[in-house]
Amino acid sequence: MLFPIPPALICAVPQDDDLKTLALTEQQKTLFASLAQSGFKRLGVQKRALPDESYVTLAAPRAEYKLFVYVTESRTALQREVTVDESKEDAEKLYSPLLKSRFPQLTSSYIPSGDALDILLGTGETTIVLRLASPAQTATPLWLSSALEELDKAAQQLKNPPKATDPSGVTPTDPIGAALKTAGLTFTDIGNFYKLKYTFTDSKRAQFVFVRKAIWEYNSLKIQELYSTFYESETAPSAELTQKLFQKTFTIGGLILEAPSESQKLWRIRYRLDAPTTIPTNTLKTYLQLVAGTADALEKELNTEDKL
Amino acid sequence: MNTIFLALALLGAPQLSDEALKAQAKSALDATKLTFSASASGKSYTLVFDNEGNRKQTLYFTQTPNRVSTLVTYNIYTICWASKDAPPDEALMRKVLTKSKKLGVFYLFKDTNNFWSIRFSVRFDATEMKESPTADDPLVKALKDTIYLVNAVGEETDKELNGDKDIR
């Protein structure tokens, strides 16, 4: 929503008492008059730690958001907060590049000296603070109008972010999916997983490998799972077989037993490998080959029939 | 379709001289600033974590690198359950082996003295480790966080399976 500020009306608006305690420049007085004229209601004035630093809080005309105006002798900034559902980390990944790419004009138009747009992330619910600043003497009513418009556009982008997909359908939040494409591998997108089929030139056997799209995180670790199933049956593996298989050790990766669940009715044993999301393409190819080769060898050991 | 020649993680590549890699792995552990020492057998480095409730968890970092294809890996493991002479029964195996963790797997181990254990292990890929790694290197951070994860899973599983009896 844009609130145009008719320049003709600005000078007719008198200064209110609450602002008289602030050392405002003529331009800043004009800005507050413009905001009042446009329906913004002042909620409070707060002096900050530094002598000439103040914050004025205003409610938007239909109280749909709060606007903060930060003033010093040399600087004026408009600030508005938007709360988003993402975690701090996800919000930073998703919105920082989005805002930087969509609003590059903020820097050049309004802030010759620098920080036109701040993204401040708090804890818990993530609050993104959009801030536009200008030297006090150039914070004209025209600047105010444009700044409000820019803040409004940016806020709308935060509320309705575009789908983060590229033409291949691989999302940037799924780095290994993107790496599969870069590697030139043939794969099928099956919802939560990518499916790859490997054929062995010597045995003519084949093996399906799956890449889980979800990223698992632990501290600095970010991982996506690669796996291949080599045992699949309505009956659970015997204790003897379980003991035999799970005593096997591997140079990399290992086995996991999957019990039947609501989503699938079979007992499965998978060979799995955890790949860091930053994995180089060549290493990813090696990992996938290891998963396919190892799972196929295990399947062959259990059953000469090549089902999986 | 992706066509490959057979490559097995099951089979290690032929052992080469590992001395340089061993020195590199020790440097990486040094860079984590965690306290570790050589195990009695000399095969591993051990790291002992003090966990809540005066519980401890010992982690083992194998000194000898494993190689497959172009990869160099090390086994980081901890013991979650142990028994002299008797393997885990079917119910226990199913309970533990179906646990899916963010990283790593559980496996069974029987030593030469018929001592059975359930271990939690992560095979750490150190292929890209620098010769003289520092604390700021991403792979050193990953190593440190992997060690923390192995401790956390080991301690959690130990507590779940053994209650007050603390497998150290």
Side-chain angles (χ1 to χ4, degrees), chain A residues 191-203:
Chain A
N192 294 328
F193 301 91
Y194 299 109
K195 183 179 179 181
L196 299 94
K197 184 179 181 182
Y198 281 86
T199 302
F200 301 95
T201 49
D202 49 357
S203 65

PDB file of all heavy atoms in Angstrom, chain A residues 191-203:
ATOM      1  N   GLY A 191       9.322 -36.399  -5.510  1.00  0.00           N
ATOM      2  CA  GLY A 191       8.736 -35.750  -4.329  1.00  0.00           C
ATOM      3  C   GLY A 191       9.791 -35.405  -3.305  1.00  0.00           C
ATOM      4  O   GLY A 191      10.554 -34.465  -3.488  1.00  0.00           O
ATOM      5  N   ASN A 192       9.873 -36.196  -2.249  1.00  0.00           N
ATOM      6  CA  ASN A 192      10.846 -35.896  -1.204  1.00  0.00           C
ATOM      7  C   ASN A 192      12.242 -36.424  -1.524  1.00  0.00           C
ATOM      8  O   ASN A 192      13.170 -36.215  -0.753  1.00  0.00           O
ATOM      9  CB  ASN A 192      10.388 -36.478   0.130  1.00  0.00           C
ATOM     10  CG  ASN A 192       9.134 -35.795   0.633  1.00  0.00           C
ATOM     11  OD1 ASN A 192       8.940 -34.601   0.382  1.00  0.00           O
ATOM     12  ND2 ASN A 192       8.280 -36.527   1.311  1.00  0.00           N
ATOM     13  N   PHE A 193      12.353 -37.147  -2.631  1.00  0.00           N
ATOM     14  CA  PHE A 193      13.628 -37.773  -2.979  1.00  0.00           C
ATOM     15  C   PHE A 193      13.934 -37.596  -4.468  1.00  0.00           C
ATOM     16  O   PHE A 193      13.035 -37.376  -5.268  1.00  0.00           O
ATOM     17  CB  PHE A 193      13.584 -39.287  -2.701  1.00  0.00           C
ATOM     18  CG  PHE A 193      13.291 -39.624  -1.265  1.00  0.00           C
ATOM     19  CD1 PHE A 193      11.980 -39.809  -0.851  1.00  0.00           C
ATOM     20  CD2 PHE A 193      14.306 -39.744  -0.342  1.00  0.00           C
ATOM     21  CE1 PHE A 193      11.689 -40.106   0.467  1.00  0.00           C
ATOM     22  CE2 PHE A 193      14.033 -40.044   0.978  1.00  0.00           C
ATOM     23  CZ  PHE A 193      12.720 -40.219   1.386  1.00  0.00           C
ATOM     24  N   TYR A 194      15.197 -37.752  -4.810  1.00  0.00           N
ATOM     25  CA  TYR A 194      15.599 -37.944  -6.192  1.00  0.00           C
ATOM     26  C   TYR A 194      15.975 -39.415  -6.337  1.00  0.00           C
ATOM     27  O   TYR A 194      16.563 -39.994  -5.421  1.00  0.00           O
ATOM     28  CB  TYR A 194      16.812 -37.076  -6.552  1.00  0.00           C
ATOM     29  CG  TYR A 194      16.543 -35.609  -6.411  1.00  0.00           C
ATOM     30  CD1 TYR A 194      17.123 -34.874  -5.393  1.00  0.00           C
ATOM     31  CD2 TYR A 194      15.690 -34.956  -7.298  1.00  0.00           C
ATOM     32  CE1 TYR A 194      16.862 -33.526  -5.245  1.00  0.00           C
ATOM     33  CE2 TYR A 194      15.434 -33.599  -7.154  1.00  0.00           C
ATOM     34  CZ  TYR A 194      16.024 -32.905  -6.131  1.00  0.00           C
ATOM     35  OH  TYR A 194      15.761 -31.570  -5.987  1.00  0.00           O
ATOM     36  N   LYS A 195      15.649 -39.972  -7.484  1.00  0.00           N
ATOM     37  CA  LYS A 195      15.922 -41.388  -7.722  1.00  0.00           C
ATOM     38  C   LYS A 195      16.874 -41.511  -8.898  1.00  0.00           C
ATOM     39  O   LYS A 195      16.644 -40.907  -9.954  1.00  0.00           O
ATOM     40  CB  LYS A 195      14.601 -42.091  -8.020  1.00  0.00           C
ATOM     41  CG  LYS A 195      14.685 -43.575  -8.212  1.00  0.00           C
ATOM     42  CD  LYS A 195      13.270 -44.103  -8.467  1.00  0.00           C
ATOM     43  CE  LYS A 195      13.267 -45.597  -8.707  1.00  0.00           C
ATOM     44  NZ  LYS A 195      11.889 -46.076  -8.983  1.00  0.00           N
ATOM     45  N   LEU A 196      17.939 -42.288  -8.712  1.00  0.00           N
ATOM     46  CA  LEU A 196      18.908 -42.501  -9.786  1.00  0.00           C
ATOM     47  C   LEU A 196      19.039 -43.998 -10.023  1.00  0.00           C
ATOM     48  O   LEU A 196      19.018 -44.780  -9.065  1.00  0.00           O
ATOM     49  CB  LEU A 196      20.288 -41.951  -9.407  1.00  0.00           C
ATOM     50  CG  LEU A 196      20.406 -40.452  -9.131  1.00  0.00           C
ATOM     51  CD1 LEU A 196      20.262 -40.165  -7.650  1.00  0.00           C
ATOM     52  CD2 LEU A 196      21.754 -39.941  -9.630  1.00  0.00           C
ATOM     53  N   LYS A 197      19.196 -44.379 -11.257  1.00  0.00           N
ATOM     54  CA  LYS A 197      19.387 -45.791 -11.572  1.00  0.00           C
ATOM     55  C   LYS A 197      20.818 -46.000 -12.059  1.00  0.00           C
ATOM     56  O   LYS A 197      21.275 -45.307 -12.980  1.00  0.00           O
ATOM     57  CB  LYS A 197      18.398 -46.239 -12.647  1.00  0.00           C
ATOM     58  CG  LYS A 197      18.488 -47.724 -12.951  1.00  0.00           C
ATOM     59  CD  LYS A 197      17.479 -48.144 -14.008  1.00  0.00           C
ATOM     60  CE  LYS A 197      17.580 -49.644 -14.282  1.00  0.00           C
ATOM     61  NZ  LYS A 197      16.649 -50.058 -15.339  1.00  0.00           N
ATOM     62  N   TYR A 198      21.506 -46.946 -11.434  1.00  0.00           N
ATOM     63  CA  TYR A 198      22.866 -47.280 -11.834  1.00  0.00           C
ATOM     64  C   TYR A 198      22.884 -48.666 -12.466  1.00  0.00           C
ATOM     65  O   TYR A 198      22.285 -49.602 -11.922  1.00  0.00           O
ATOM     66  CB  TYR A 198      23.802 -47.241 -10.624  1.00  0.00           C
ATOM     67  CG  TYR A 198      24.204 -45.832 -10.268  1.00  0.00           C
ATOM     68  CD1 TYR A 198      23.407 -45.047  -9.442  1.00  0.00           C
ATOM     69  CD2 TYR A 198      25.365 -45.274 -10.779  1.00  0.00           C
ATOM     70  CE1 TYR A 198      23.749 -43.744  -9.140  1.00  0.00           C
ATOM     71  CE2 TYR A 198      25.719 -43.971 -10.488  1.00  0.00           C
ATOM     72  CZ  TYR A 198      24.912 -43.210  -9.666  1.00  0.00           C
ATOM     73  OH  TYR A 198      25.260 -41.926  -9.383  1.00  0.00           O
ATOM     74  N   THR A 199      23.570 -48.789 -13.570  1.00  0.00           N
ATOM     75  CA  THR A 199      23.715 -50.093 -14.212  1.00  0.00           C
ATOM     76  C   THR A 199      25.196 -50.455 -14.216  1.00  0.00           C
ATOM     77  O   THR A 199      26.032 -49.613 -14.560  1.00  0.00           O
ATOM     78  CB  THR A 199      23.189 -50.042 -15.660  1.00  0.00           C
ATOM     79  OG1 THR A 199      21.816 -49.641 -15.611  1.00  0.00           O
ATOM     80  CG2 THR A 199      23.281 -51.398 -16.324  1.00  0.00           C
ATOM     81  N   PHE A 200      25.493 -51.705 -13.831  1.00  0.00           N
ATOM     82  CA  PHE A 200      26.889 -52.123 -13.739  1.00  0.00           C
ATOM     83  C   PHE A 200      27.301 -52.807 -15.040  1.00  0.00           C
ATOM     84  O   PHE A 200      26.652 -53.768 -15.469  1.00  0.00           O
ATOM     85  CB  PHE A 200      27.081 -53.051 -12.533  1.00  0.00           C
ATOM     86  CG  PHE A 200      26.683 -52.370 -11.260  1.00  0.00           C
ATOM     87  CD1 PHE A 200      25.415 -52.534 -10.749  1.00  0.00           C
ATOM     88  CD2 PHE A 200      27.561 -51.527 -10.613  1.00  0.00           C
ATOM     89  CE1 PHE A 200      25.022 -51.872  -9.594  1.00  0.00           C
ATOM     90  CE2 PHE A 200      27.174 -50.852  -9.469  1.00  0.00           C
ATOM     91  CZ  PHE A 200      25.906 -51.025  -8.957  1.00  0.00           C
ATOM     92  N   THR A 201      28.356 -52.283 -15.621  1.00  0.00           N
ATOM     93  CA  THR A 201      28.741 -52.772 -16.947  1.00  0.00           C
ATOM     94  C   THR A 201      29.191 -54.233 -16.906  1.00  0.00           C
ATOM     95  O   THR A 201      28.989 -54.951 -17.875  1.00  0.00           O
ATOM     96  CB  THR A 201      29.886 -51.917 -17.499  1.00  0.00           C
ATOM     97  OG1 THR A 201      30.889 -51.818 -16.497  1.00  0.00           O
ATOM     98  CG2 THR A 201      29.404 -50.539 -17.879  1.00  0.00           C
ATOM     99  N   ASP A 202      29.785 -54.656 -15.787  1.00  0.00           N
ATOM    100  CA  ASP A 202      30.297 -56.025 -15.764  1.00  0.00           C
ATOM    101  C   ASP A 202      29.197 -57.057 -15.511  1.00  0.00           C
ATOM    102  O   ASP A 202      29.080 -58.047 -16.226  1.00  0.00           O
ATOM    103  CB  ASP A 202      31.423 -56.166 -14.732  1.00  0.00           C
ATOM    104  CG  ASP A 202      31.057 -55.580 -13.379  1.00  0.00           C
ATOM    105  OD1 ASP A 202      29.938 -55.012 -13.256  1.00  0.00           O
ATOM    106  OD2 ASP A 202      31.852 -55.679 -12.449  1.00  0.00           O
ATOM    107  N   SER A 203      28.350 -56.808 -14.536  1.00  0.00           N
ATOM    108  CA  SER A 203      27.340 -57.809 -14.148  1.00  0.00           C
ATOM    109  C   SER A 203      25.992 -57.599 -14.831  1.00  0.00           C
ATOM    110  O   SER A 203      25.117 -58.438 -14.725  1.00  0.00           O
ATOM    111  CB  SER A 203      27.150 -57.770 -12.642  1.00  0.00           C
ATOM    112  OG  SER A 203      26.592 -56.517 -12.269  1.00  0.00           O
TER     113      SER A 203
END
